Amino acid sequence: MEFPRRTKISSHTINILPRYAETDKGGVIHHSVFSIWFEMGRTELLRANGVAYKDLEAAGVFFVVAQLNIKFRRPVQYDEQLLLDTTCSAVSAAKVEHVYKLTRCSDSVILAEGASVLACVNEKGKVRRMPEFMYPEHE
Amino acid sequence: MEFPRRTKISSHTINILPRYAETDKGGVIHHSVFSIWFEMGRTELLRANGVAYKDLEAAGVFFVVAQLNIKFRRPVQYDEQLLLDTTCSAVSAAKVEHVYKLTRCSDSVILAEGASVLACVNEKGKVRRMPEFMYPEHE
Amino acid sequence: MEFPRRTKISSHTINILPRYAETDKGGVIHHSVFSIWFEMGRTELLRANGVAYKDLEAAGVFFVVAQLNIKFRRPVQYDEQLLLDTTCSAVSAAKVEHVYKLTRCSDSVILAEGASVLACVNEKGKVRRMPEFMYPEHE
Amino acid sequence: MEFPRRTKISSHTINILPRYAETDKGGVIHHSVFSIWFEMGRTELLRANGVAYKDLEAAGVFFVVAQLNIKFRRPVQYDEQLLLDTTCSAVSAAKVEHVYKLTRCSDSVILAEGASVLACVNEKGKVRRMPEFMYPEHE
């Protein structure tokens, strides 16, 4: 597997349609689901840069979530069209940071915001250096 | 890891308290959760026989679900005490079968019933012979 | 909310991309996830017929899963493109039946098959008559 | 439903045994699961104070997560005994704050820490005053 030299795209947007199984008896999406969507956002940002996360894992590079912060601004309804913006906000030898913004398509209202810090580990879970291509091109 | 010679206990009951995150906007437990509970039932039946499933996996023995049937008789409410009976109903070189009965503690009403067939595979996912100890003692 | 007179489309196919959170330590998709995908298949089959399930619920029509059967033929890998065919196979005053076929896009191999029976209930969970439009046009 | 006058217990510990379905292909518990455990911690802290959350909801009092922060210190393994400490750290008319500490039973190592802010809303999702009993006794 060959990886790109540098990351060219720092921000990416995906569509999300909340599933019935993701709701709870409060009638809206359960708060644990947002972190799953954020992970999907990271995966697609990576893919937009030419890297499939499964290929990274196959090459012995694993990203593990070290920190996660979420602000839930408004309830998210079942089956309403959403946009999730994922931006890589910082990269260092030890960690990569992302910020997230979840908006409702119909009126662009922000429903949630988040931030995460990921560490890079090998197949044994030991911290390893960030792969070179994770750094943005113009740094 | 040493495993027992034979399985002595064919049936085991566990307590389950449905979680908020397991509900859906219909107000009750989502139907996908039952298969997670059945898996917990199998794990505890195995443990009652002296085997931790994680030790099995560490020894290269994996059980994969090949077939699953569930009859949902009544809705299951959030935070109501449940009993799950898990019974190993058949064992062969190729597969192990279980049946499940989920009842409400308060009135012993049956809420769901199920059955599963599991195959035994190695760490590469190839079918392998059922470990000897999975057979019941009096067979 | 106005619903169509009759169902015109009995079969519908959706794309599925398995999420990282849907995997388990066995390295493949956890078997509980398939029922969530089947539910998505039903939702999109309904939508292809001009009905959003959320509008049905808003009108006091709820579908609850009464029976579910799944045959897991092959393991499903993280991030591999899948197709899910959902077919409405029978409708009566009391219940609606669907069958499912999950295939891998790359080689059209069938990974899983399933069937479900759903009952129709009102907002209090009482069984009610199937809405007229759920019947196929040529019956 | 009658609720207690004041909250007497500010901290509570529960046992958690990670489920197989909660693991991911990285071999450990998926990070989205921690928020589900934290919710269980809050529920049992509330129950230790004589209040079942389902009774609160039945009385029109809903708690919604407004903010969530988690630090994942070490990977959590399948089927290892855990302790989750949940402490109510602040209560005001508008919100209630909790902090969480997840430790491994075998060696008391801290695996994760977290904090949450919850708002109190009515059945329509409108913010409402915190119920009187949520305030600690000696305030």
Side-chain angles (χ1 to χ4, degrees):
Chain A
M1 194 65 214
E2 208 170 319
F3 296 116
R5 214 183 55 82
R6 284 290 161 113
T7 297
K8 295 191 177 173
I9 299 168
S10 67
S11 205
H12 187 70
T13 302
I14 62 170
N15 288 284
I16 290 173
L17 191 64
R19 302 169 170 185
Y20 198 86
E22 293 171 340
T23 62
D24 64 30
K25 73 189 284 288
V28 296
I29 300 304
H30 192 264
H31 65 276
S32 63
V33 177
F34 292 65
S35 57
I36 295 173
W37 293 344
F38 290 177
E39 185 172 62
M40 293 164 60
R42 289 193 302 274
T43 301
E44 297 308 322
L45 170 58
L46 201 57
R47 204 190 314 270
N49 279 293
V51 181
Y53 181 65
K54 61 185 161 191
D55 294 333
L56 268 189
E57 285 203 347
V61 180
F62 294 74
F63 286 110
V64 292
V65 180
Q67 201 171 327
L68 179 67
N69 302 321
I70 311 180
K71 284 188 182 163
F72 304 88
R73 301 219 175 275
R74 310 253 181 137
V76 176
Q77 306 296 328
Y78 163 61
D79 203 47
E80 67 177 347
Q81 290 280 356
L82 307 176
L83 291 177
L84 175 65
D85 297 338
T86 304
T87 300
C88 182
S89 51
V91 182
S92 73
K95 60 190 187 183
V96 52
E97 297 180 34
H98 292 85
V99 294
Y100 311 89
K101 194 175 68 175
L102 186 73
T103 53
R104 190 159 56 196
C105 286
S106 62
D107 57 8
S108 299
V109 165
I110 297 177
L111 302 179
E113 290 170 287
S116 65
V117 178
L118 278 71
C120 194
V121 301
N122 65 17
E123 55 281 300
K124 287 169 185 165
K126 293 282 172 195
V127 173
R128 50 152 286 162
R129 276 187 68 249
M130 190 63 53
E132 200 58 27
F133 72 83
M134 285 297 290
Y135 291 89
E137 192 156 56
H138 303 295
E139 216 176 18
Chain B
M1 195 63 215
E2 209 169 316
F3 296 117
R5 216 183 54 82
R6 285 289 163 112
T7 296
K8 294 190 176 171
I9 299 168
S10 66
S11 204
H12 187 71
T13 303
I14 61 169
N15 289 283
I16 290 173
L17 191 64
R19 302 170 171 184
Y20 199 86
E22 293 172 340
T23 62
D24 64 30
K25 74 189 282 287
V28 296
I29 300 304
H30 192 264
H31 64 277
S32 63
V33 177
F34 292 64
S35 57
I36 295 173
W37 293 344
F38 290 176
E39 185 172 61
M40 292 163 61
R42 288 194 302 274
T43 302
E44 297 308 322
L45 170 58
L46 201 57
R47 203 190 315 270
N49 278 293
V51 180
Y53 181 66
K54 61 185 160 190
D55 294 332
L56 268 190
E57 284 204 347
V61 180
F62 295 74
F63 286 109
V64 293
V65 180
Q67 200 172 327
L68 180 67
N69 303 320
I70 311 180
K71 283 188 182 163
F72 304 88
R73 301 222 175 274
R74 310 256 180 132
V76 176
Q77 306 296 328
Y78 164 61
D79 203 46
E80 67 178 348
Q81 290 280 355
L82 307 174
L83 290 177
L84 175 65
D85 297 337
T86 304
T87 300
C88 182
S89 50
V91 182
S92 72
K95 61 190 185 185
V96 52
E97 297 180 34
H98 293 85
V99 293
Y100 311 89
K101 194 176 67 176
L102 186 73
T103 53
R104 191 158 56 197
C105 286
S106 62
D107 57 7
S108 300
V109 164
I110 297 177
L111 303 179
E113 288 171 287
S116 66
V117 177
L118 278 72
C120 194
V121 301
N122 65 16
E123 55 281 302
K124 288 170 184 162
K126 294 281 173 196
V127 173
R128 50 153 286 163
R129 275 187 68 250
M130 191 61 54
E132 200 58 27
F133 72 83
M134 286 296 292
Y135 291 89
E137 193 156 56
H138 303 295
E139 214 175 21
Chain C
M1 194 65 212
E2 208 170 317
F3 296 116
R5 215 182 56 82
R6 285 288 162 113
T7 296
K8 295 189 177 173
I9 299 166
S10 67
S11 205
H12 186 71
T13 302
I14 63 169
N15 288 283
I16 290 173
L17 191 65
R19 302 170 171 185
Y20 199 87
E22 293 172 339
T23 62
D24 64 30
K25 76 190 282 288
V28 295
I29 301 304
H30 191 265
H31 64 277
S32 63
V33 178
F34 292 65
S35 56
I36 295 173
W37 294 343
F38 290 177
E39 185 172 62
M40 292 163 61
R42 288 194 302 273
T43 301
E44 298 308 323
L45 170 58
L46 201 56
R47 204 190 315 271
N49 278 293
V51 180
Y53 181 66
K54 61 184 160 191
D55 294 332
L56 267 189
E57 284 203 348
V61 180
F62 295 74
F63 286 110
V64 292
V65 179
Q67 202 171 326
L68 179 67
N69 302 321
I70 311 180
K71 283 188 183 164
F72 304 88
R73 301 220 175 274
R74 310 253 181 136
V76 177
Q77 306 296 328
Y78 164 62
D79 203 48
E80 68 177 347
Q81 290 281 356
L82 307 175
L83 290 177
L84 175 65
D85 297 336
T86 304
T87 301
C88 182
S89 50
V91 182
S92 72
K95 61 190 186 185
V96 52
E97 297 180 36
H98 293 86
V99 293
Y100 311 89
K101 194 176 67 176
L102 186 73
T103 54
R104 192 158 55 198
C105 286
S106 62
D107 58 6
S108 299
V109 164
I110 296 177
L111 302 178
E113 290 171 288
S116 65
V117 177
L118 278 71
C120 194
V121 301
N122 65 17
E123 55 281 301
K124 288 168 184 164
K126 293 282 172 195
V127 174
R128 49 153 288 163
R129 277 187 68 249
M130 191 62 54
E132 200 59 26
F133 72 84
M134 286 296 291
Y135 291 89
E137 192 156 57
H138 303 294
E139 214 173 20
Chain D
M1 195 64 213
E2 208 170 317
F3 296 115
R5 214 183 57 82
R6 286 287 162 116
T7 297
K8 295 190 177 172
I9 299 167
S10 66
S11 205
H12 187 71
T13 302
I14 63 170
N15 289 283
I16 289 173
L17 190 65
R19 302 171 170 184
Y20 199 86
E22 293 172 339
T23 62
D24 64 30
K25 76 191 280 289
V28 295
I29 300 304
H30 192 265
H31 65 276
S32 64
V33 177
F34 292 64
S35 57
I36 295 173
W37 293 344
F38 290 177
E39 184 172 62
M40 292 163 62
R42 288 194 302 275
T43 302
E44 297 309 322
L45 170 57
L46 201 57
R47 203 190 315 271
N49 279 293
V51 180
Y53 181 65
K54 61 185 160 190
D55 294 332
L56 268 188
E57 284 204 347
V61 179
F62 294 74
F63 286 110
V64 292
V65 179
Q67 200 171 328
L68 179 67
N69 302 320
I70 310 180
K71 283 188 183 164
F72 305 87
R73 301 222 175 272
R74 309 254 182 135
V76 177
Q77 306 296 328
Y78 164 61
D79 203 45
E80 67 177 347
Q81 289 281 355
L82 307 174
L83 290 179
L84 175 65
D85 297 336
T86 305
T87 301
C88 182
S89 50
V91 183
S92 72
K95 61 191 185 183
V96 52
E97 297 180 35
H98 293 86
V99 293
Y100 311 89
K101 194 176 67 176
L102 186 73
T103 54
R104 191 158 55 197
C105 285
S106 62
D107 58 7
S108 299
V109 165
I110 297 178
L111 302 178
E113 289 171 286
S116 65
V117 177
L118 278 72
C120 194
V121 301
N122 65 17
E123 55 281 302
K124 288 169 183 163
K126 293 282 173 196
V127 173
R128 51 151 286 163
R129 276 186 68 249
M130 190 62 54
E132 200 58 25
F133 73 83
M134 286 296 290
Y135 291 89
E137 192 156 56
H138 303 295
E139 217 177 16

